[in-house]
Amino acid sequence: DSGVTQTPKHLITATGQRVTLRCSPRSGDLSVYWYQQSLDQGLQFLIQYYNGEERAKGNILERFSAQQFPDLHSELNLSSLELGDSALYFCASSPRLAGDEQYFGPGTRLTVT
Amino acid sequence: AQSVAQPEDQVNVAEGNPLTVKCTYSVSGNPYLFWYVQYPNRGLQFLLKYITGDNLVKGSYGFEAEFNKSQTSFHLKKPSALVSDSALYFCAVRDVDSNYQLIWGAGTKLIIKP
């Protein structure tokens, strides 16, 4: 158990809908990262927050947004969902800004129908 | 630009045999290199890292990795494979140009056959 929790574990929704994925980092970790893992196994970095502030952006679509709250939990919002958004979404946390050792949650499997 | 490559989509090894999962990198400056493992239906787990020092780095579950500066490689190794080592392995390098994010390889599926 990494200490990172993600909810929900599974999510099935329809195209055009909006969903929110939630992540609680390990106790004491200030950095939260969001990743998307597609069926072909590739891991795509989406965005990083550090102590409430956005610090780095990867290949995140404009339809996606995230935030980190004062208690350090984070939410990833996905809107106007398309079939291609079906994937595993992972949250990871680390104690520092430089995310060398990242601790991953179990992921949320999103299925868009 | 920094990059990392895992040239093999899949590696098959018989149980008890040594295994190697390959990783090459391209960075400006000194490389910070990492290996992570993903077991089925799980998130990634940190295995080991190279920052500086000895070229042979030891990590979790009996794995080690050899840093080779001249070949810009950081191959993951284990002397004797277990069936339970079957998983997806990711190599990563720290991106000094982009707020120290990790740049991830595409992953290598390791299959250990009994």
Side-chain angles (χ1 to χ4, degrees):
Chain A
D1 183 4
S2 67
V4 178
T5 61
Q6 289 186 250
T7 57
K9 286 187 178 180
H10 302 276
L11 199 50
I12 301 174
T13 189
T15 54
Q17 295 299 305
R18 182 179 189 275
V19 297
T20 297
L21 312 184
R22 194 179 191 278
C23 169
S24 292
R26 286 190 328 155
S27 176
D29 284 357
L30 298 178
S31 273
V32 169
Y33 309 80
W34 286 98
Y35 292 91
Q36 180 192 58
Q37 186 175 37
S38 56
L39 286 176
D40 67 357
Q41 303 172 349
L43 192 69
Q44 295 292 327
F45 166 67
L46 295 178
I47 199 165
Q48 179 201 8
Y49 278 81
Y50 178 78
N51 203 19
E53 292 187 11
E54 179 187 308
R55 297 306 300 259
K57 263 189 175 181
N59 299 320
I60 188 167
L61 300 172
E62 286 191 10
R63 301 183 285 108
F64 296 1
S65 64
Q67 54 185 329
Q68 187 180 28
F69 295 87
D71 67 352
L72 300 177
H73 91 271
S74 178
E75 293 181 354
L76 179 67
N77 302 297
L78 315 176
S79 62
S80 303
L81 285 168
E82 302 175 359
L83 295 178
D85 297 327
S86 296
L88 264 172
Y89 290 85
F90 287 106
C91 165
S93 73
S94 70
R96 293 170 293 278
L97 177 60
D100 293 348
E101 292 183 41
Q102 298 183 20
Y103 298 86
F104 282 74
T108 293
R109 182 173 293 280
L110 174 66
T111 302
V112 182
T113 62
Chain B
Q2 343 284 317
S3 65
V4 61
Q6 294 181 244
E8 302 153 318
D9 290 339
Q10 183 169 309
V11 172
N12 298 299
V13 178
E15 186 178 25
N17 282 0
L19 68 87
T20 298
V21 182
K22 296 180 180 178
C23 173
T24 59
Y25 65 90
S26 174
V27 299
S28 54
N30 295 321
Y32 287 40
L33 297 155
F34 309 85
W35 277 102
Y36 283 75
V37 59
Q38 183 180 24
Y39 296 103
N41 301 312
R42 304 282 296 276
L44 281 70
Q45 296 178 40
F46 170 79
L47 267 182
L48 52 80
K49 67 181 178 183
Y50 172 83
I51 303 294
T52 187
D54 288 341
N55 291 340
L56 189 63
V57 179
K58 294 191 182 298
S60 307
Y61 311 121
F63 284 93
E64 56 191 25
E66 186 172 13
F67 170 67
N68 188 316
K69 189 172 183 178
S70 63
Q71 297 186 2
T72 62
S73 67
F74 188 56
H75 300 333
L76 183 69
K77 300 182 178 185
K78 188 173 183 181
S80 178
L82 300 172
V83 172
S84 57
D85 293 329
S86 297
L88 189 56
Y89 290 81
F90 290 93
C91 181
V93 63
R94 185 199 272 191
D95 182 0
V96 297
D97 290 338
S98 177
N99 219 8
Y100 303 102
Q101 293 307 304
L102 292 183
I103 299 172
W104 298 86
T108 298
K109 189 173 186 177
L110 176 63
I111 297 177
I112 309 299
K113 298 183 178 179

